[in-house]
Amino acid sequence: MAGWTPRNAGAEIEQEPTPVQSCGADGDWYCARIARGEANFEAAGEEAQFELTAFADKKAAQDACQKEKSWSAKYTKAEVPPIPDVASNAYYRNGGGLDGLYLTMCLGTVVAEILLEGEGSSLDPATAHSLAQVFVPRIQKAAAAS
C-alpha cells in the first residue's frame, strides 16, 4: 500500500477445523474457521492491522459475521461510510489492552477486519473506509481465483 510500511504478517491453516455444529450459539464467532491471516502496516505514526478469517462455506461465514456483530454491540458504533456490496460493522473498542477502531466486513466465505490502533474514538473513520476500499478488491480477486 502506497505510503504504508509493512511491519509483519502471518497465516495459519486449521489442521482440524471445528465443525460449525459444534460451535453453538454462544461460541466465538471464529470457531469454525479453516484459515486465518494477518498483515500489519504503519504510516505517519498510525498502525493498521488487516486480518482475514476464511470459512468452509458462505453460511458459516455469515453466521460468524452475525455473531461478531452481536458481540460488538456493547461497544460504541463508529460511523464508517458503507463499502459498496459489502456487509460491514464498525465500532470503537477500548479494553483488554486494545484501543482502536474496528471495521469488520463480510465477503462470501471470508470475514475481513481492519483495526486502526490508537486513541479509540479520536481515530478518523475515513481512514478505515479508505483502507477498506484498497483491501476489499484484493479479497474479491483472491476469492475469484480460488
Side-chain angles (χ1 to χ4, degrees):
M1 295 184 320
W4 290 80
T5 304
R7 293 185 58 213
N8 57 25
E12 59 188 56
I13 304 288
E14 297 293 332
Q15 296 300 316
E16 295 182 32
T18 303
V20 174
Q21 57 273 23
S22 297
C23 293
D26 296 328
D28 293 326
W29 68 264
Y30 51 82
C31 175
R33 73 180 179 206
I34 59 172
R36 180 186 164 283
E38 71 175 58
N40 298 295
F41 293 85
E42 186 173 6
E46 289 192 323
E47 293 183 25
Q49 177 178 332
F50 296 87
E51 188 169 309
L52 290 176
T53 303
F55 294 86
D57 57 50
K58 193 172 183 174
K59 175 154 180 13
Q62 288 173 340
D63 289 348
C65 280
Q66 189 55 48
K67 282 183 181 180
E68 190 279 338
K69 188 172 185 177
S70 296
W71 173 86
S72 68
K74 60 188 170 197
Y75 296 106
T76 302
K77 184 170 179 53
E79 297 300 327
V80 174
I83 310 302
D85 302 320
V86 176
S88 63
N89 178 43
Y91 58 96
Y92 296 104
R93 180 176 174 194
N94 184 330
L98 302 172
D99 187 15
L101 187 155
Y102 288 72
L103 173 60
T104 303
M105 300 169 288
C106 305
L107 299 108
T109 60
V110 172
V111 177
E113 295 177 284
I114 296 174
L115 162 61
L116 297 177
E117 295 179 21
E119 297 300 317
S121 59
S122 69
L123 293 165
D124 186 357
T127 302
H129 183 257
S130 65
L131 291 174
Q133 290 180 306
V134 172
F135 196 32
V136 168
R138 291 177 181 186
I139 297 165
Q140 292 169 327
K141 185 177 180 180
S146 61

